Amino acid sequence: MEPTKNLNVSYALAIAGFFTPVAGLHRFYLNRPLTGILWIVTWGLFGFGTLVDLIRMQTMVEAENAGAALATAKTAGALPSYTTRMRDLSPEQQILRVAHEEEGVVTVDIVAAKTTLSMRAAEKQLERMRDDGFVQVDISESGAKLYMFPGLVSKKPLQLEGL
């Protein structure tokens, strides 16, 4: 498994760009060599790009680590083949695809596990779909919040064990 990128190392490399003639080392560390070269040539877009990166650093590191984890899982065969195509779909389309597979009933956890969405983004999108009237919400016996898509619900009895 590929090692994850460290937030503190990323910050240190970015801050070093303010005190040395070489800016952009953090971009190479986060596997962004093209913008790393741009940062070196322009001294971090004259310092403004590096300043913006310092503000966005946690998001940048999380994105790199998520991409590495996805690549590792894909290589290990732990992901279904359609996952590479999920990136081409809107969040709503990704959720609908998962809801179809799950016979019309999903949880935030299931959506986050089977799409490219984070837990927060999955919940936000599911709630938006509920507010628009496309999804109904129920609570399972174990307390899990279930999002039900009436048009996709199977006629078979639901198996909610383990939720």
Side-chain angles (χ1 to χ4, degrees), residues 126-147:
L126 284 163
E127 288 297 322
R128 186 176 300 133
M129 293 169 83
R130 179 188 59 89
D131 292 344
D132 291 343
F134 298 114
V135 178
Q136 297 172 355
V137 176
D138 198 4
I139 306 295
S140 73
E141 290 178 12
S142 64
K145 194 171 190 178
L146 305 173
Y147 294 87

Side-chain angles (χ1 to χ4, degrees), residues 27-58:
R27 290 200 158 255
F28 287 98
Y29 177 71
L30 296 174
N31 295 322
R32 298 173 183 205
L34 295 178
T35 55
I37 292 170
L38 179 64
W39 258 237
I40 286 175
V41 171
T42 63
W43 193 65
L45 296 177
F46 306 104
F48 294 112
T50 301
L51 185 60
V52 170
D53 283 354
L54 285 170
I55 295 167
R56 296 184 54 240
M57 190 65 70
Q58 183 167 356

Side-chain angles (χ1 to χ4, degrees), residues 91-92 94-95 108 111-112 115-129 147:
E92 187 174 278
Q94 290 183 47
I95 290 171
V108 171
V111 170
T115 67
T116 62
L117 302 174
S118 68
M119 296 279 285
R120 208 171 273 130
E123 181 177 39
K124 187 176 181 179
Q125 186 64 39
L126 284 163
E127 288 297 322
R128 186 176 300 133
M129 293 169 83
Y147 294 87

